[in-house]
Amino acid sequence: MREELLKSFVDMDEQEAVRIARELVESDGGAVAVLETCKEAMEEVGRLFEAGEYFLSELIAAGDMFNQIMEFTLPKLQGDEVASIGTMVLGTVQGDVHNIGKDIFKVMAEASGINVIDIGIDVPHEKFVEAIKEHKPELVGMCCLITLGVDSMKRTIEVIKEAGLRDDIKIIIGGGRVSQAVMEHVGADAWADDAARGVRLSKELLGKE
Amino acid sequence: MAVDAKQLAAERAARLKAAVELKEPDRVPFTGIGGDVIAAYAGITSYEFNFDYEKQCQAIIKYVKDFPSDQPVIGMTGLGNHVASMAFSDYPDLYPIISRVDGPTNDILGVDYCRFPGRELDENSSPQFIGREYMSAEEYDELIADPVKFCFEKILPRIVRAFRDMKAPEAHAAMARLALEKAKAGAAMRDMFRQLQELGYAPGGLSVFFAPLDFIGDQLRDIPNLIKDLRRYPDKVKAATEAVLEPLLKVSVNAKGPGVETAMIPLHLNEYLSPALYNEFYWPTLKEGILRLAELGMKSQVFFEGRHDAHLETILELPAGWGTAYFEKTDVRKAKKLLQGHTCIMGGIDVGMVISSTPAKLDEYIKEILGEMMPGGGFILAPNIGNLPRETPIENIRAVYEAVEKYGKY
Amino acid sequence: MVSPEMQKLAQERAARMQAAIELKEPDRVPFTGLGGDIVAAYAGITAYEFEFDFEKNRQAAIKWLKDFPADSPVGGIGGLDNLAMSVAFVDFPDLANQFFMVNGPMNDVLNMKFARFPGRQLDEYSSRQFIGGKNMEPEEYDELIADPVKFSYEKILPRIAGNLADLGSPTSLATMARLGMVKAQQAAEMRKTGAALAELGYPTGGGSTFAFAPLDYIGDHLRDLPNLVLDIRRYPDKVKAAAEAILEVLVKWTLQGKAAGAVQAGFPLHLNEYLSPKLYREFYWPTLKEYILRLREEGMRSRLFCEGWHDAHLDTFLELPAGWGIAAFEKTDVRKAKKVLAGHTCISGGIDVGVVISGTPAEIDEYIKRLLGDMMPGGGFILGPNVGNLPRNTPIENVAAVYEAVEKYGKY
Ligand code: B12
């Protein structure tokens, strides 16, 4: 059944995947199996995306399936069964309201075991600082799709530094406007303009890969 | 505006003001006479006058240049859309675009009571208001409860073709088109007012107000029905006049442009009513309207259409210096006897004479009127009705202006 | 009166563009120029002033164009796409196009839910924002299919325009009148701006109007992009039928722009990047292609701005007749596009705005030199930025470096 779930998920057969997951989750130890299979499937989808076989629509569809399945799976799991590999505060920076890419990255990061605290879009610099203080994450993710947002990221990182929090965290940036040059310009630690790579790098920053 | 134009404008305004304040100015203030003849004088059809802004403005300027008076003679540029003014009375910025229907805007709206030259009428006719019954007697309660809402929801869709279904895209498109069209007219108008200023006329205009019972008679029930209603549902009619008073005043405020100090009040039902009915149904809310307009900073200029002889005395209930009584058929001499020192009187030139008489007779006629009406001041010379037809002999018009020049000095 | 010199300049500029579109080599590489928020900053005014004060906007644009002349003008009052309103009023050809771009003063009247403007919902220095949103439920596809115009008018308009929320109310009618008043004022301003541009030697007339891939109407204005992407899998037949129904309406609308003098239709593509070639070909491309061909039959040319990555779909252009129009690219490398499309499709773009923002003048000189060296030979290329907006704090010496490099290396 795990095989079938994996296959239908990766093949984007939403109805079938959800049906199998519902069935599986009721069996003994099923919830853990569903969780792991879905993570594996998300990873595979990410791989296919990086290979150019899958496109954004598949990422979105996969994310949606993942969320649907988790909705009935997570309540069935014990606390220690969902242990995360680390926490990330994630937001689209001030002045930028694009959220699709961030949301895709978020599900994939969650699927890989990162506990993501999503603080939304058009996030003011101070709100990043507050969230870091509150959630004490290992990682901060910033998303930026418009040129204007580049400056915003730079400023946010400065504000984090001023608050004395920069050394406690690693910062990864993503979205359509990021590059090696932008990463250096704003003073981040890693960059990715696709979600799969972003998840890989995040895990590396957490020392989990 | 050149200095002499400015000075001329100031003199003209002072002249009119002095008369309203019941004083003797330097000369008798004269409103001028015009109407459809303005288009004819410019050699254009009424259709052109009503549909072509530029030609209209040129015609007016030509006429005003050749026939200067204390007020520019504009003629008839469209018909009032009073139900719309009331329906949108809470939107003062819309007043300039919804309050009047002219040729092009009627093409957009399709107003049931409007007839325009070159459309429903011959191309040399003047625009016509042909009202009908737009409200049934059963609807008085609704009108009384909320006249603005009632006019908006019930009457506008019956009157304006484009508003038949207020929710429809047609209605919404019509509003946008109306504004776009009025902007075109506005450009031509601004140009005209600039030229008028150069000719020594101060910018300004008139606000409007209606006797509440006239609003019901003209716009909603149609006069014959209303007359019957007075006997059948007297309490409802009375309550309705009281209900429409406030929104009508709101419209007057909306219509009051910068510098406007006068509200024109054309009366219609007055002539139809016995003093008993007049005093019970018509006069109370009209009187209150006049008093309220004064509080709002406007003097009234009441145009007593038809014969007002039977109701003249009621004018004395208003405080002296309240405004101007403009007469059509009532003899201004008779009015003067009663109102001198209390009310400024306006009118005096029988348009029928101007149309059919000769220059020599007109000279004599004006001389006589002025001789009787000028002494003591408080008089504005004006035609008894606003519209001189296209065929009016120009030499007769000229004779009037020349006579005013000759005999109008105090 | 426009001087003969400037008239000549305008002709040269127009001819340069035209030659590239016809896949020929002009005298110089046509260059669309750079612009965006920087135009206001350069004139020392806020984004708010630029968006709301037409006189200041015009002066800013003139100053920019005097110092940074290109083959087509940039600047001017822009706005946010309000396609649902144009669709809703498509049966009123004198109005539909006027409602399409919501600018600051128009939004003060309409209060669109998708819009945010500097000095209003945003601070004075921000650029205006289209924030989108979901305005339609999947259950409503049938209604959309049955009558896209009626549906857009009755259902969508009240949901997206705060002041048209209650159609048929005094407020909604008053809003339309106020919109008309604003548009009338703006038309007068536009004429002034047009005259000012003519004096700077920019072609008048023969302008551009808008067009949208039918699926983008659904994604941008009705369902919101991620939902549409899911709909494609869940309700494929409905999505397809909707695209077809919308096509008819949009073609009609774009042709209204033609009737007003436009010779070109600009399509900003949004969903392209999201779709695999399979989905692109099945759902997106058929109606887009037909749109382009229908406009072509009517004598209009199309310009497709392929936002994001378009690499996977490049070969679909080859289904169109050679010389059909312009393909402009954002992230897709124009060199790669040239390999596929040379001799068939005019290519536009090339300047990565990121380089202009963060590079040095020397790097930029080198960058443009290489770009033109690769792209100019054979013609059929229009140089332009990959996205329209240079932010306020873009170093001006970098902007100047671009223009100087184009001057230096742009001659055929
Ligand atoms: C959809 C879209 C919109 C939608 C957004 C809907 C939404 N809810 O997000 C709407 C219509 C609302 C919109 C609005 C605007 N947009 Co827009 N929009 C796009 C479009 C077409 C696609 C963007 C997108 O979703 N891409 C797909 C996602 C999945 O890609 P992504 O974000 O890069 O994410 C991937 C990775 O980067 C990564 N990732 C994402 N986040 C993160 C975070 C981390 C930490 C990591 C590691 C990885 C990661 O994972 C994702 C999956 O691989 C692009 C053009 C294009 N094709 O790129 C323009 C574009 C981004 N928009 C643009 C503009 C200008 C605007 C507006 C300013 C327009 C306007 N004048 O109003 C407004 C934005 C206002 C604002 N201030 O933000 C420009 C930006 C130009 C520029 N350089 O500044 C673009 C490039 C279009 C263009 N060519 O002009 N837009």
Side-chain angles (χ1 to χ4, degrees), chain C residues 76-370:
Chain C
I77 297 273
L80 300 172
D81 297 358
N82 188 14
L83 186 55
M85 192 156 178
S86 291
V87 169
F89 284 96
V90 76
D91 293 326
F92 302 85
D94 54 325
L95 300 176
N97 244 327
Q98 299 208 47
F99 299 156
F100 170 63
M101 274 285 185
V102 176
N103 53 40
M106 285 170 76
N107 194 52
D108 283 351
V109 170
L110 286 167
N111 187 17
M112 303 306 294
K113 299 229 170 81
F114 58 65
R116 292 195 197 166
F117 280 90
R120 294 285 191 266
Q121 302 82 359
L122 303 168
D123 76 69
E124 311 203 311
Y125 290 94
S126 297
S127 43
R128 60 170 181 270
Q129 298 179 353
F130 180 91
I131 56 175
K134 184 182 81 170
N135 302 308
M136 168 188 156
E137 296 304 320
E139 293 72 39
E140 294 178 309
Y141 268 110
D142 288 336
E143 264 185 85
L144 168 66
I145 295 162
D147 191 340
V149 177
K150 185 162 179 261
F151 179 72
S152 299
Y153 178 81
E154 288 179 3
K155 296 288 167 70
I156 303 301
L157 201 53
R159 294 175 193 166
I160 60 173
N163 289 336
L164 299 175
D166 182 7
L167 287 174
S169 68
T171 302
S172 85
L173 288 160
T175 296
M176 294 303 289
R178 287 172 178 159
L179 191 60
M181 294 189 234
V182 168
K183 289 311 291 181
Q185 281 168 8
Q186 295 187 351
E189 295 291 343
M190 292 306 185
R191 279 193 293 276
K192 277 198 227 166
T193 301
L197 291 178
E199 278 174 28
L200 293 173
Y202 287 97
T204 51
S208 188
T209 189
F210 280 93
F212 287 84
L215 270 200
D216 280 330
Y217 177 51
I218 306 177
D220 291 353
H221 298 279
L222 307 180
R223 289 286 290 142
D224 205 19
L225 238 153
N227 294 318
L228 173 58
V229 164
L230 298 173
D231 293 347
I232 287 178
R233 290 171 201 283
R234 292 179 188 158
Y235 325 103
D237 296 340
K238 300 217 166 178
V239 172
K240 247 184 252 176
E244 277 158 24
I246 290 164
L247 171 68
E248 298 306 319
V249 178
L250 291 185
V251 168
K252 186 169 168 182
W253 171 63
T254 301
L255 290 176
Q256 290 169 1
K258 183 196 171 223
V263 296
Q264 181 172 305
F267 292 75
L269 307 190
H270 288 150
L271 202 66
N272 53 331
E273 175 182 47
Y274 288 78
L275 303 177
S276 64
K278 184 168 166 294
L279 292 179
Y280 185 88
R281 273 159 230 257
E282 188 176 347
F283 291 91
Y284 195 82
W285 177 239
T287 45
L288 173 57
K289 177 178 165 184
E290 192 179 337
Y291 202 151
I292 297 168
L293 293 174
R294 295 261 289 269
L295 295 182
R296 196 180 145 85
E297 268 169 40
E298 301 284 341
M300 282 186 99
R301 158 181 93 229
S302 296
R303 176 185 190 273
L304 268 58
F305 177 33
C306 307
E307 295 190 14
W309 294 108
H310 202 71
D311 300 45
H313 317 308
L314 279 178
D315 54 343
T316 51
F317 288 124
L318 297 173
E319 294 171 24
L320 297 167
W324 64 274
I326 306 167
F329 295 100
E330 188 199 339
K331 291 191 196 144
T332 292
D333 186 344
V334 286
R335 295 170 181 85
K336 183 170 173 192
K338 186 177 176 182
K339 289 215 181 77
V340 183
L341 301 174
H344 178 279
T345 293
C346 172
I347 294 171
S348 178
I351 304 175
D352 178 355
V353 162
V355 173
V356 184
I357 297 167
S358 58
T360 63
E363 283 164 14
I364 289 170
D365 184 273
E366 185 54 34
Y367 175 84
I368 299 285
K369 182 179 172 185
R370 255 191 293 128

